[in-house]
Amino acid sequence: MIRLPDPKPEVLARRAEIVAALQRILPPGPMGDGVISEELRLKPYETDGLSAYRQPPLAVVLPETTEQVAAILRYCHQNGVRVIPRGAGTSLSGGALPLADAVVIGLMRMNRILEVDYDNRLAMVEAGVTNLGITNHVAADGFFYAPDPSSQLACMIGGNVNMNSGGAHCLKYGVTANNLLGLKLVTIEGEILEVGGRHLDAAGYDWLGLLTGSEGMLAVITEVTVRILHSPEGQRAMLAAFKSNEIAGEAVDAIIASGIIPVALEFMDRPAIHACEAFAHAGYPLDAESLLIIEVEGSVAEQDSLLAKLKGICERFDPISVKVAESAEQSLAIWKGRKGAFGAVGRISPDYLCMDGTIPTGQLPFVLRRIGEMSESYGLQVANIFHAGDGNLHPLIMFDANDPKSFHAAEAFGADILKLCVEVGGCLTGEHGVGVEKRDLMGVQFTAPELSLQRAIKGAFDPDWLLNPAKVFPLEDNPAFAARVLPHAA
Amino acid sequence: MSGGVQGEVLAPATEADLSAAIAAAAAAGEPLAIEGNGTKRAFLRPVQAARTLTTRGLSGITLYSPSEMIVSAWTGTPLPEIEAALAERGQHLIAEPPSFSALFGAALPPTIGGLVSTNLSGPRRITGGAMRDHVMGIRAAGGTGEVFRSGGRVLKNVTGLDLCKLLAGAHGTLGVITEVTLKVLPGPASSGTVAVRVADLAAGVRVLSAGLGSPFGVSGAAVLPSGTEGRPGPLALLRIEEFSDSVAYRTGRLRADLAPLGEVAVIEDAESRALWAAVREAGPLGAAPDDAIWRVSVRPTAGPKVVAAAGMARALLDWGGGLVWLAGPATPEAHARVVAAAEAAGGSFTLFRAPEPLRAAVAVLPEEPAALAAIGRRVKAVLDPKGILNPGRMRAGL
């Protein structure tokens, strides 16, 4: 159950006037209406990747330039109107969930690639360019943009910056924050600012670092300068199946201790293996308790050498099987099951919650054991996928959305898992963000003064709490809201 | 040039004592100069404070988990202590942070908290990321003395606002870091460097761009205008750090690919490591004892233009050409030329070392646009409401 703050009655009462004012800023153009306010057309914007929660906004605006974003924000600031920034709406934590009295700023029409500079290895793009769109644009020249969240076909770079998105290859290439050079942004007052640039480590406070992962609460980001990298000569995967989670965990430790940094090191537990195999027929061993997918990069000879070393390490741990891909095709086959994991789980259960905590990697066997016990006591199935190199755990909790009891149990189960992550020294979210989903758990990880401090820093950017105001921080003790909050009808 | 320590020195031995010392200073409205081992007193602007708070009493590694690739340490832990602990398990600090002991004439090594607070990174920054990129968690005391945490001890964490990055590079003006947790990685089994003799700096940066734009995972890219011992300059250097068979293969491929751009040599493991240890400390800059030193960051291809426009005799290019080290006369005129060159290239500058009068008289960092500066003042007021932490260190009056 997630609660949203009361809409401001004075804003709701002025709805027609606000829409008219926004239409003056964004008159209809070749791309269609810039302002959407009809009930039916607001439908697609009432939710995001956390589709259990829905709330139509007051209106949606679709600007095409940074100057238009500035004019919209200036108007909203002067009129006390709340604003929800939105990219592709793929957030799994409800980061783009609207409020009834808020204007959603959709950045999808700002989808131009402004500059690609191979000598300096950077691309400057608008916020509405998709993650994969950047890589696709430079791939023919041998380059790529490294962070690869699994929604990369749809998700937009502006959203990636706001959520500090990760992906399966973070162990080697880092997350979004590690791959940015500069941002153009608009403050709630409508000021257009640039931070960072085309260079590394601009002197002064690290606004670029603070804005990355700020979940749309500090500013609206309109342009992003990313670092692009030349692709390696090639990559290849191997698969190793083990008799227990403990043994797989020991194998991961041994790999790290060997000095090899695989480009990906993915773990799946028994339920995940079975779900993926039934769906993708990737040839995963069904008698295994756990499975590792390990990928390395380099020339063919380098791949051979690294994979032989990794095979030797895995064989020390009494594996059920070890399969090294002999070709790019075999490599794809190994990945096929893992990449289809969400679809695979969806086939078993039409509804599931994809959780996202991080744990110290050594705690994996303990955490999986505890999750197994919780699964029994809640009576809900769970499959676990784990970025083993960086400790990012994705339990997929299966439930029945037609049964409110089942949904609430799934939410409670998810919250218990995240509390467990914090208990063992980890955190509530590794890459999906807090959004509304984990907002009310923030007190598990942070003390009240720590939360007040973070809120005050948001306040330094947005004193009136107009930008994505109901996200990340619990509402109850937030002085920015009236004490009264209404239960939200899920 | 390192300057003397200021007035009374507070050296708390615990986080609680440090917190209490700051709380007392806040209550009295008395500013504090914040330092670790004080190795960079000649860096940025002189701090206006009667008393100094040093973190050197908070020392020691608190957690090292090689398999989880993290190390936590109290802020005053000397860099060599951490490097030695990591080396025992074949690991290293990814950003290759320099000590700059020679540049600043410091007798003591830098502390880990000082390195994070100044966000200074070495040659590996170009592909491995900056010091701030590997800060997974901090504990810190704000200007009221209250201790807060951000991040944690895991490698992937997007829970709440990232105050680790805000404090990294804030030079102790927003809080005093008391403990840091850093991501570490296995160190390379071997190092090799491809050295290309080039006609000028621009040709050198073309070599670096070719190397960094290759599939070979270059981890260092510098141009030494005067070359190095036995190797005349300008000399473009590209480093590979990998297992030894990969170093041989990749330096071989680069050597072949870069042959059309100049005379190429491959520098083997031990000599390669020594060479980059020198670049890390800006040794090849060859700064004279009386020189002022500037550090300019621009897009890499603009590096040579900055050197030319600044008109300095001594220069060094790192980070693919984008990190421009300059040494020259410690005068306002020379500073103005560097500032103009950095601004013309759309980049950033830092007056890295200079006698106190010059550092007090000029802007040592670029000015921010008014709206951003206003946000900066509000953030400072949140974290340090009495303005007692390192006042004036980064900007006059802040």
Side-chain angles (χ1 to χ4, degrees), chain A residues 117-122 143 163-168 170-172 174-175 177-180 185 187 189 191 193-210 212-215 217-218 227 229-233 252-253 256-261 297-299 302 305-306 309 356-363 387 389-392 394 424-434 442 445-447 449-450 452-463 472-473, chain B residues 65-70 89-91 119-121 125-134 136 139 146-171 173-174 183 185-187 205-206 208-217 242-247 249-250 253 295 297-302 319-323 345-350 364-366 368-380 382-383 394-395 398:
Chain A
D117 179 346
Y118 291 121
D119 285 338
N120 291 304
R121 301 162 300 283
L122 62 86
F143 282 75
M163 304 314 260
N164 194 11
S165 305
C170 301
L171 183 54
K172 178 158 181 194
V175 295
N178 314 121
N179 288 278
L180 298 179
L185 54 112
T187 68
E189 286 96 356
E191 292 276 352
L193 293 172
E194 290 180 36
V195 299
R198 292 178 174 81
H199 52 286
L200 296 167
D201 300 348
Y205 291 153
D206 186 7
W207 301 123
L208 179 60
L210 181 65
T212 307
S214 64
E215 305 205 16
M217 299 190 299
L218 303 186
R227 308 184 71 189
L229 302 172
H230 196 286
S231 305
E233 287 190 86
V252 168
D253 287 356
I256 301 297
S258 75
I260 299 173
I261 308 161
E297 290 180 340
S299 67
E302 289 176 310
S305 158
L306 290 171
K309 282 180 193 158
D356 163 53
T358 307
I359 56 173
T361 51
Q363 296 285 345
H387 302 303
D390 56 33
N392 193 191
H394 293 306
V424 300
C427 65
L428 294 174
T429 172
E431 57 186 359
H432 294 176
V434 177
M442 285 290 274
Q445 187 168 335
F446 295 106
T447 64
E450 284 167 346
S452 298
L453 179 61
Q454 293 190 35
R455 284 199 193 95
I457 288 170
K458 171 181 169 52
F461 284 78
D462 177 23
V472 182
F473 304 116
Chain B
S65 177
S67 64
E68 290 165 352
M69 296 181 287
I70 52 149
R89 302 301 296 266
Q91 297 190 330
N119 189 28
L120 291 170
S121 313
R125 198 278 169 254
I126 185 68
T127 45
M131 209 52 204
R132 63 88 143 154
D133 286 301
H134 311 117
M136 299 294 109
R139 294 176 65 90
E146 188 156 33
V147 174
F148 60 89
R149 303 161 302 157
S150 184
R153 56 153 294 192
V154 288
L155 299 190
K156 226 162 153 190
N157 186 347
V158 295
T159 320
L161 291 176
D162 189 351
L163 306 188
C164 300
K165 294 207 173 59
L166 184 61
L167 261 67
H171 303 279
T173 62
L174 296 179
K183 175 185 177 180
L185 280 178
V205 171
R206 282 195 292 277
L208 303 190
S209 290
L212 288 164
S214 79
F216 302 119
E242 283 289 343
F243 291 106
S244 56
D245 48 353
S246 279
V247 170
Y249 165 72
R250 295 181 186 204
R253 287 288 306 269
R295 210 169 180 251
S297 184
V298 291
R299 64 185 194 280
T301 52
W319 298 358
L323 176 64
S348 174
F349 67 87
T350 305
V364 298
L365 307 172
E368 289 179 328
L372 196 56
I375 291 170
R377 282 192 298 274
R378 294 201 289 268
V379 168
K380 168 81 173 170
V382 167
L383 283 156
M394 297 174 73
R395 303 174 196 285
L398 192 68

Side-chain angles (χ1 to χ4, degrees), chain A residues 202-255:
Chain A
Y205 291 153
D206 186 7
W207 301 123
L208 179 60
L210 181 65
L211 285 155
T212 307
S214 64
E215 305 205 16
M217 299 190 299
L218 303 186
V220 176
I221 289 160
T222 59
E223 286 178 22
V224 184
T225 304
V226 299
R227 308 184 71 189
I228 52 174
L229 302 172
H230 196 286
S231 305
E233 287 190 86
Q235 59 273 315
R236 206 155 17 116
M238 62 177 280
L239 181 152
F242 299 95
K243 289 176 184 160
S244 75
N245 296 327
E246 283 81 359
I247 295 173
E250 286 168 20
V252 168
D253 287 356
I255 290 166

Side-chain angles (χ1 to χ4, degrees), chain B residues 264-354:
Chain B
V264 191
V266 173
I267 299 172
E268 306 283 343
D269 200 18
E271 194 191 340
S272 171
R273 289 181 196 257
L275 184 55
W276 288 97
V279 173
R280 172 183 182 175
E281 298 296 334
L285 175 63
D290 295 339
D291 276 348
I293 298 175
W294 292 265
R295 210 169 180 251
V296 175
S297 184
V298 291
R299 64 185 194 280
T301 52
K305 280 176 227 140
V306 169
V307 175
M312 299 287 169
R314 288 172 286 284
L316 168 65
L317 300 180
D318 195 357
W319 298 358
L323 176 64
V324 184
W325 285 100
L326 298 164
T331 62
E333 295 72 29
H335 182 69
R337 283 204 306 278
V338 173
V339 172
E343 281 173 357
S348 174
F349 67 87
T350 305
L351 176 55
F352 199 74
R353 185 188 85 178

Side-chain angles (χ1 to χ4, degrees), chain A residues 249-389:
Chain A
E250 286 168 20
V252 168
D253 287 356
I255 290 166
I256 301 297
S258 75
I260 299 173
I261 308 161
V263 66
L265 185 50
E266 295 284 291
F267 169 100
M268 297 161 75
D269 72 355
R270 187 181 184 89
I273 297 167
H274 280 252
C276 292
E277 181 58 22
F279 181 66
H281 308 295
Y284 294 168
L286 294 175
D287 50 345
E289 282 301 318
S290 53
L291 185 151
L292 293 177
I293 296 174
I294 314 165
E295 186 170 81
V296 299
E297 290 180 340
S299 67
V300 173
E302 289 176 310
Q303 295 166 23
D304 285 340
S305 158
L306 290 171
L307 289 169
K309 282 180 193 158
L310 290 166
K311 185 164 184 255
I313 293 168
C314 290
E315 279 168 352
R316 285 173 13 214
F317 294 91
D318 190 22
I320 287 172
S321 62
V322 178
K323 191 164 93 186
V324 174
E326 304 280 332
S327 63
E329 291 71 36
Q330 287 186 11
S331 203
L332 282 179
I334 286 175
W335 272 111
K336 193 177 159 200
R338 165 64 185 87
K339 297 224 162 158
F342 295 137
V345 170
R347 196 162 152 275
I348 301 174
S349 164
D351 305 296
Y352 62 86
L353 288 178
C354 176
M355 306 309 292
D356 163 53
T358 307
I359 56 173
T361 51
Q363 296 285 345
L364 180 69
F366 171 73
V367 168
L368 291 184
R369 206 159 50 240
R370 289 284 297 117
I371 290 177
E373 290 161 13
M374 291 178 200
S375 166
E376 286 199 10
S377 76
Y378 278 104
L380 293 172
Q381 277 187 283
V382 62
N384 288 289
I385 289 165
F386 185 56
H387 302 303

